[in-house]
Amino acid sequence: DSEQMKLKTQAGSVELAGVWKYRVSAESFRVSDQAAISPNSRPTLLYNGMVHPLLNVSVLGAIWYQGESNSARAWEYRKLFPLMIQHWRDEWGQGDFPFYWVQLADFRDEIADPADSDWAELREAQTMTLSKLPNTGEAVIIDVGEGRDIHPRNKQDVGWRLAQWALNQTYGKTDLVPCGPLYKSCQVEGNAIRIAFDHVGSGLMVGKKEGLAPTEEVKDGKLQRFAIAGADKKLHW
């Protein structure tokens, strides 16, 4: 909303809504009539221009907010993401410094029936990196996203969840639970599946963020449904 678009400084508040002037700072490189490569997609900008100049600076760790442009190639991310982290660590030469990232947020309309999702596949690739590399952590923000806004407005919870990993693993506050429950294993027991989790703290709880409407998955403080698939990989509630 326009009244929310403002920049607050010590000198006062500057309204950001309304008409703005602009000028072109860079142009995309067009490879065909249908496709263009933006400056942000060029390795010479992303790595040479933004990362390499910082290698002379000592770092304590890194936090990473992943964009969604990899989602169409989510399977590749299982290799690309841990490779990037390891490359940064090799280049800085400071050992396995802490690397914490934010999982893709909630986005897009809800669907009535369970189905494959490239966003879910990319989230899975991000989570798999936890077991591939040491001194890593993932802030899950599936509950603070915006269905129709690719950038969640709630940045405070995002920062808070990243901080829990840093406080627990980097600053030695081991009494803090670094994250929400993480899937560990499952066991089929008759017509049920028993699931085990890591990082459960004082126990699993089901709730909802204040101000958010209840979903089909969570009603009256209980989990209502899960999507599972057999060997045929067809999803069912």
Side-chain angles (χ1 to χ4, degrees):
D1 297 332
S2 59
E3 60 268 19
Q4 296 176 304
M5 300 290 291
K6 62 181 64 177
L7 177 66
K8 293 182 179 180
T9 69
Q10 287 183 332
S13 181
V14 180
E15 298 295 331
L16 297 178
V19 178
W20 280 70
K21 294 181 179 180
Y22 73 94
R23 65 173 180 171
V24 175
S25 60
E27 293 185 3
S28 298
F29 173 71
R30 185 161 291 282
V31 294
S32 69
D33 290 339
Q34 288 78 33
I37 299 176
S38 75
N40 288 337
S41 299
R42 299 180 185 179
T44 50
L45 174 68
L46 289 174
Y47 181 74
N48 293 348
M50 296 184 178
V51 178
H52 190 267
L54 300 177
L55 295 182
N56 290 329
V57 179
S58 296
V59 298
L60 183 60
I63 57 174
W64 175 263
Y65 198 117
Q66 165 64 24
E68 68 287 339
S69 59
N70 287 87
S71 61
R73 298 174 288 117
W75 183 266
E76 296 177 4
Y77 207 65
R78 297 183 179 201
K79 182 176 181 180
L80 287 175
F81 189 43
L83 187 62
M84 188 201 77
I85 297 172
Q86 189 59 57
H87 177 240
W88 281 24
R89 288 172 169 176
D90 292 344
E91 290 292 281
W92 255 279
Q94 294 182 205
D96 294 333
F97 60 73
F99 197 103
Y100 307 131
W101 62 86
V102 181
Q103 193 187 60
L104 283 188
D106 186 23
F107 183 59
R108 300 177 177 171
D109 293 333
E110 290 189 17
I111 55 175
D113 299 312
D116 284 334
S117 162
D118 52 1
W119 277 51
E121 189 177 357
L122 191 108
R123 291 187 187 104
E124 182 182 38
Q126 290 178 291
T127 302
M128 291 171 68
T129 304
L130 291 171
S131 60
K132 292 180 179 180
L133 293 176
N135 214 6
T136 54
E138 175 182 77
V140 176
I141 61 168
I142 191 74
D143 59 322
V144 297
E146 312 281 342
R148 299 184 181 277
D149 188 343
I150 208 165
H151 299 290
R153 300 177 186 180
N154 181 353
K155 301 295 192 293
Q156 209 156 10
D157 278 337
V158 178
W160 188 88
R161 293 176 190 187
L162 285 168
Q164 302 315 295
W165 278 107
L167 290 169
N168 178 279
Q169 292 196 156
T170 306
Y171 294 97
K173 295 184 180 295
T174 55
D175 56 319
L176 290 178
V177 180
C179 64
L182 285 176
Y183 169 81
K184 182 178 181 180
S185 61
C186 71
Q187 182 69 36
V188 177
E189 300 178 1
N191 65 347
I193 302 174
R194 185 181 297 274
I195 304 174
F197 296 90
D198 283 325
H199 306 299
V200 297
S202 57
L204 294 177
M205 294 176 289
V206 178
K208 71 180 185 70
K209 298 285 287 183
E210 196 166 324
L212 296 181
T215 67
E216 291 298 320
E217 283 69 35
V218 180
K219 284 184 178 179
D220 302 322
K222 296 181 180 180
L223 295 177
Q224 298 294 325
R225 61 183 185 178
F226 293 87
I228 62 173
D232 59 2
K233 298 184 180 180
K234 292 182 179 180
L235 291 160
H236 304 274
W237 292 124

